Amino acid sequence: NGELNNKVIIEGDRLEPQFSEIPGQWGAIWLRAGSKNNSIKNTIIKNASAGIIVDSISNNSAPTLIIKNSQIYNSANFGILGRETNIYGENLVINNSGQSSLACTGGGTYNFVHSTFANFWNNSFRQNPSVLINNFFTVSNTQTVEKRDLLAANFTNCIIDGNNNIELIIDQVEGTVFNYSFKNNLLRFKEIEDPIHFIDNIFNGNPHFKSPSTNELIIGQNSDGIKKGNEQGTLLVPNDILGIIRPLPSDIGAYQHIIFN
């Protein structure tokens, strides 16, 4: 864990400038099955194959991983890949991933508040959305599909955006619990009338990122997410990723907006 003004940086061992933004230079932070009570704060993770892989939960209900005030960039595959696990994140920023910036797979419990999940990957063709949620996995040697309960996938005051038309996929196999909720988010997604799962979201608005191609995802004065935050979510996370106190109503995402010059 780092500090607000002294972040831990986890990257490859090639520190020459030409390697500073190259994906896939090292493997992943891998929290294997049974690992629990992991915490990452004030950390920048960059240039991995997968930033963090979080495997299946132990029997306790506490999150396998709590991640706060952290950034994950330039992952060749996934920013965070969760597999039937329990993750809580706030003031989390992920961008530039070869597959998904966040993949909540095989069911589990996922809660994110005031986070920014973007994907402006341009190194190759990308099929996956910025955020993928499902409740199954395929056993590789038999090709059978195993279903698991999605106990929660809750997103409050988050931005989900990228350079594809659809940046959120919710992929359900029938026959299990499948709970999810989106409140006061800015979503690159088809407009949907579903008041049970989607509450007070903005569809296909302009987040007005400063420079997503260089992982600068602070929002500017023309963002459609300004003053659109859910109050309950803001009270949970009263400061943004830079330590700025959030007013009420707050801005959606990990950052309060600034005026771009």
Side-chain angles (χ1 to χ4, degrees):
N1 292 329
E3 299 170 353
L4 181 64
N5 296 314
N6 186 23
K7 290 183 169 57
V8 172
I9 299 176
I10 300 173
E11 59 183 329
D13 58 6
R14 297 298 299 268
L15 302 181
E16 304 94 315
Q18 64 266 35
F19 288 93
S20 65
E21 305 295 330
I22 302 296
Q25 295 182 53
W26 56 283
I29 297 171
W30 194 345
L31 307 178
R32 293 181 180 270
S35 178
K36 58 185 180 181
N37 301 328
N38 298 285
S39 172
I40 295 174
K41 297 177 183 174
N42 297 305
T43 298
I44 298 172
I45 300 167
K46 55 189 290 195
N47 307 336
S49 292
I52 308 173
I53 300 172
V54 191
D55 275 336
S56 57
I57 50 179
S58 55
N59 290 326
N60 70 354
S61 59
T64 303
L65 171 64
I66 295 175
I67 182 166
K68 300 181 178 181
N69 299 323
S70 294
Q71 303 159 60
I72 304 173
Y73 301 130
N74 312 332
S75 304
N77 297 295
F78 297 96
I80 293 179
L81 172 58
R83 300 191 283 211
E84 195 190 357
T85 192
N86 187 336
I87 302 173
Y88 173 80
E90 63 183 45
N91 285 339
L92 172 62
V93 179
I94 309 179
N95 185 36
N96 205 24
S97 311
Q99 295 188 47
S100 292
S101 285
L102 173 68
C104 306
T105 70
T109 301
Y110 306 91
N111 290 285
F112 296 97
V113 185
H114 274 296
S115 294
T116 298
F117 304 101
N119 204 348
F120 289 85
W121 177 265
N122 57 13
N123 291 337
S124 60
F125 178 72
R126 171 172 65 91
Q127 285 186 304
N128 281 25
S130 181
V131 173
L132 170 67
I133 300 167
N134 70 35
N135 64 332
F136 62 89
F137 58 91
T138 303
V139 180
S140 56
N141 56 349
T142 62
Q143 294 302 301
T144 54
V145 174
E146 292 280 341
K147 298 179 289 188
R148 295 290 186 269
D149 288 339
L150 180 68
L151 299 177
N154 299 324
F155 293 77
T156 305
N157 297 350
C158 293
I159 297 174
I160 298 176
D161 199 78
N163 52 9
N164 286 349
N165 290 330
I166 298 289
E167 289 291 4
L168 169 65
I169 288 181
I170 301 166
D171 192 4
Q172 177 183 8
V173 172
E174 297 289 341
T176 73
V177 172
F178 199 83
N179 295 326
Y180 63 96
S181 169
F182 289 83
K183 293 180 182 176
N184 296 74
N185 302 282
L186 187 60
L187 303 174
R188 180 74 52 203
F189 191 56
K190 60 181 183 291
E191 291 209 32
I192 189 168
E193 287 292 331
D194 179 356
I196 295 174
H197 297 109
F198 291 88
I199 301 165
D200 294 330
N201 297 285
I202 300 166
F203 294 99
N204 304 310
N206 175 20
H208 195 207
F209 294 130
K210 184 174 184 181
S211 177
S213 62
T214 56
N215 294 319
E216 294 178 89
L217 295 175
I218 194 166
I219 59 173
Q221 67 272 22
N222 296 324
S223 174
D224 290 329
I226 292 174
K227 294 186 177 181
K228 297 293 172 55
N230 169 281
E231 181 174 328
Q232 190 176 6
T234 302
L235 294 175
L236 274 176
V237 192
N239 295 67
D240 83 349
I241 191 171
L242 300 177
I244 305 298
I245 296 173
R246 290 187 162 105
L248 292 174
S250 68
D251 299 347
I252 292 173
Y255 295 93
Q256 282 295 120
H257 78 281
I258 61 171
I259 307 297
F260 295 158
N261 294 326

